[in-house]
């Protein structure tokens, strides 16, 4: 276990903010976490994963917790599927690569999403027509207030688009320690998402799906090691069908996706229509290949990134009458 005072969080956030934590604790087991919790004020505690969905706006005057719980274990299996229990500290894409190499289907569309396994259960990560909730069966967690362990079933997690109970009612209350996924021994390819339909030739197995998605993401998303960023900065808004039809009458070529509670409109497309693609404010910019991404051009302050985010949101509201929200958490 690591327990360090006055610790730089630069290696733990992909935006490249050189902020410091008053105390940093990295634990390798549930027992180590439970051991250290009595010395921590749960109200001044932040649990992080890979830092790929955070924007630190100042030093953190409290305790930052990070899981180093590893391991990938098959805990049950049938002829058709298997349950795989994964430590929260496992890098998400390393788990995806492992599953695909084994021929286990279900997470290949989520290839190359940054972050760690624990965050997949909190954020309900999603891409290319698949969300984490589609494969999550059980989430194991420790209460930061009491140290007691609790197991959440999929329905208890109250998953929605980029949402879960861990981001709403129980925000900051639990540390995820393990996530169990149901994967398929007989994968059925999900190529329904527009970006995948345009790939030629069409992928014929999960290995090809993974490679196609890796190639696509690498072509349009900046490497955080080269340009600080948090991937998709904004959530795609879901609007009523009436609102969608009103906008479509003005923009007949607008991309969209029918979802359960309305119509999803790509935020990146709207941001591009507002003329923000490739534009900068100070040392922060909208990426020139993917307008959904904000980047640190080098030495940007959190205030510059927040100012750019606010300006983009105002433009979309003025042009489309739609309120878009950051997917990134401001800390």
């Amino acid at each position: 276990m690591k327990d360090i005072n006055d610790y730089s969080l630069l290696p733990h956030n992909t935006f490249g903010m050189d902020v410091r934590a008053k105390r940093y604790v990295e634990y390798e087991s549930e027992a180590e976490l439970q051991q250290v919790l009595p010395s921590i004020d749960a109200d001044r505690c932040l649990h992080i994963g890979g830092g790929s969905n955070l924007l630190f706006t100042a030093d953190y005057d409290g305790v930052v917790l990070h899981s180093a719980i590893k391991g990938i274990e098959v805990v049950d299996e049938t002829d058709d599927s298997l349950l795989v229990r994964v430590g929260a500290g496992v890098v998400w894409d390393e788990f995806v690569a492992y599953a695909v190499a084994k021929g286990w289907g279900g997470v290949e569309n989520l290839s190359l999403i940054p972050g760690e396994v624990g965050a997949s259960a909190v954020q309900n990560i999603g891409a290319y027509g698949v969300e984490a909730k589609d494969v999550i069966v059980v989430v194991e967690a420790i209460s930061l207030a009491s140290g007691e362990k609790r197991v959440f079933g999929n329905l208890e997690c109250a998953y929605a688009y980029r949402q879960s109970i861990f981001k709403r009612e129980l925000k900051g209350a639990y540390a995820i320690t393990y996530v169990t996924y149901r994967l398929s021994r007989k994968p059925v390819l999900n190529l329904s998402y527009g970006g995948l339909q345009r790939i030629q030739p069409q992928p014929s197995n999960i290995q090809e799906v993974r490679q196609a998605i890796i190639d696509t993401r690498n072509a349009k998303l900046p490497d955080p090691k080269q340009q600080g960023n948090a991937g998709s900065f904004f959530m795609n808004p879901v609007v009523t069908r009436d609102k969608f039809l009103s906008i479509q009458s003005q923009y007949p070529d607008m991309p969209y996706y029918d979802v359960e509670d309305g119509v999803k409109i790509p935020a990146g497309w709207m941001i591009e229509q507002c003329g923000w693609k490739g534009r900068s404010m100070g040392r922060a910019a909208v990426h020139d290949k993917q307008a959904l991404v904000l980047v640190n051009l080098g030495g940007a302050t959190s205030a510059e990134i927040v100012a750019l985010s606010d300006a983009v949101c105002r433009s979309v509201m003025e042009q489309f009458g739609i309120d878009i929200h950051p997917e990134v958490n401001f800390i």
Side-chain angles (χ1 to χ4, degrees):
M1 180 166 62
K2 296 179 181 178
D3 194 338
I4 306 170
N5 293 326
D6 189 27
Y7 180 81
S8 173
L9 294 170
L10 183 59
H12 299 281
N13 73 100
T14 58
F15 253 119
M17 297 292 114
D18 192 10
V19 296
R20 306 188 75 81
K22 186 174 183 180
R23 182 184 176 195
Y24 174 82
V25 176
E26 184 175 277
Y27 56 91
E28 297 182 8
S29 67
E30 291 177 329
E32 285 189 353
L33 174 59
Q34 290 167 322
Q35 174 188 336
V36 77
L37 283 178
S39 68
I40 293 174
D41 181 353
D43 293 330
R44 296 178 63 197
C45 175
L46 173 69
H47 199 289
I48 65 172
S52 59
N53 206 44
L54 302 175
L55 175 63
F56 285 103
T57 60
D59 290 343
Y60 190 75
D61 187 26
V63 180
V64 170
L65 289 171
H66 179 246
S67 172
I69 297 177
K70 305 294 185 181
I72 301 175
E73 174 190 12
V74 176
V75 293
D76 194 16
E77 53 188 315
T78 68
D79 290 342
D80 297 324
S81 66
L82 60 165
L83 299 183
V84 185
R85 183 176 183 247
V86 188
V90 172
V91 173
W92 171 258
D93 196 55
E94 290 181 3
F95 164 55
V96 176
Y98 182 89
V100 170
K102 291 282 190 179
W104 303 339
V107 291
E108 60 277 1
N109 287 44
L110 305 178
S111 291
L112 217 62
I113 292 179
E116 297 173 354
V117 161
S120 75
V122 175
Q123 303 288 344
N124 184 26
I125 59 174
Y128 296 98
V130 174
E131 292 180 300
K133 70 176 180 62
D134 301 331
V135 289
I136 289 176
V137 177
V138 166
V139 176
E140 299 172 52
I142 300 291
S143 167
L144 297 182
S146 68
E148 294 181 356
K149 182 168 181 174
R150 180 173 169 184
V151 178
F152 295 82
N154 181 290
L155 292 179
E156 292 176 282
C157 296
Y159 285 124
Y161 174 60
R162 301 298 182 270
Q163 287 290 344
S164 74
I165 194 172
F166 308 111
K167 288 186 69 175
R168 296 190 303 262
E169 296 92 330
L170 299 181
K171 184 175 182 178
Y174 282 86
I176 309 300
T177 54
Y178 291 93
V179 184
T180 299
Y181 306 89
R182 186 183 305 279
L183 302 182
S184 174
R185 290 187 181 279
K186 301 174 182 179
V188 176
L189 303 188
N190 184 340
L191 303 175
S192 60
Y193 201 80
L196 293 181
Q197 290 179 350
R198 290 190 291 271
I199 294 173
Q200 296 296 330
Q202 282 279 276
S204 60
N205 55 55
I206 60 173
Q207 289 80 12
E208 291 181 1
V209 171
R210 171 169 166 77
Q211 191 58 55
I213 287 173
I214 288 174
D215 293 343
T216 300
R217 292 181 70 93
N218 280 335
K220 67 180 183 178
L221 297 175
D223 182 349
K225 295 176 183 176
Q226 305 298 323
Q227 273 191 329
N229 71 90
S232 298
F233 195 92
F234 302 98
M235 291 186 285
N236 293 317
V238 175
V239 301
T240 64
R241 180 153 292 277
D242 286 345
K243 179 68 175 178
F244 160 71
L245 291 173
S246 173
I247 298 173
Q248 190 185 44
S249 67
Q250 302 175 62
Y251 301 91
D253 296 328
M254 174 180 65
Y256 66 92
Y257 304 94
D258 289 312
V259 293
E260 186 175 339
D261 49 350
V263 181
K264 184 187 296 184
I265 300 176
W269 177 85
M270 290 190 290
I271 294 167
E272 187 171 347
Q273 299 305 304
C274 293
W276 279 103
K277 191 175 184 179
R279 283 179 57 189
S280 62
M281 286 179 59
R283 292 164 292 184
V286 177
H287 189 46
D288 59 1
K289 293 182 180 177
Q290 171 52 271
L292 200 58
V293 177
L294 303 189
V295 297
N296 179 350
L297 295 175
T301 65
S302 56
E304 287 176 306
I305 295 168
V306 171
L308 177 59
S309 169
D310 290 345
V312 168
C313 290
R314 284 196 300 271
S315 290
V316 172
M317 172 57 76
E318 290 169 3
Q319 185 158 335
F320 294 96
I322 294 177
D323 193 11
I324 62 172
H325 300 278
E327 182 176 341
V328 171
N329 296 299
F330 295 1
I331 306 297

